[in-house]
Amino acid sequence: MENMYAAFQIDRRDNVATALSALKPGSVPLRGDAATAETMAVEDIPAGHKLALRAIAPGEDIVKYGVRIGIATKAVPEGGWVHLHVMKSAYDERSGHLDVNTGAPKDIVYE
């Protein structure tokens, strides 16, 4: 069986890959339509979350599936974790109000 400690690049135009399992800093094999055989993770990245394949500047598009899915709100280093704490959705304005760990809305107050 293929090693699941890897990330999957869906399209060569993508600047992120999806972690197939929780990643630790170090070498990460790339699967899918990857431009290279491996990349490096520079921090822990949860399974199913995105890994930057190159440095991404604030305001730059986050590209997955070969299309823009979001916009970086902070600089992301190559190998960094790309999630709600460093990006916002290009399609859902509300995504900026979701908790980075739980996905729960932070803009609703229950009394």
Side-chain angles (χ1 to χ4, degrees):
M1 183 168 150
E2 191 170 299
N3 180 4
M4 291 302 289
Y5 181 75
F8 195 90
Q9 183 175 355
I10 297 168
D11 188 286
R12 285 187 186 242
R13 295 170 288 182
D14 296 350
N15 58 7
V16 296
T18 303
L20 297 176
S21 63
L23 302 177
K24 297 287 184 194
S27 178
V28 177
L30 285 175
R31 307 289 184 244
D33 192 21
T36 62
E38 67 180 26
T39 191
M40 296 291 288
V42 297
E43 61 186 309
D44 291 345
I45 299 172
H49 288 234
K50 294 174 287 299
L51 162 77
L53 295 174
R54 61 171 177 75
I56 302 171
E60 190 174 347
D61 290 343
I62 305 297
V63 180
K64 185 175 177 181
Y65 315 105
V67 298
R68 179 180 84 145
I69 63 162
I71 303 161
T73 57
K74 296 180 181 175
V76 182
E78 182 175 352
W81 179 28
V82 180
H83 195 52
L84 298 175
H85 64 299
V86 296
M87 68 170 285
K88 64 181 180 178
S89 171
Y91 304 104
D92 179 10
E93 187 64 37
R94 193 142 186 267
S95 68
H97 300 286
L98 302 178
D99 181 87
V100 67
N101 294 309
T102 66
K106 298 186 297 184
D107 61 344
I108 297 174
V109 178
Y110 297 97
E111 299 195 33

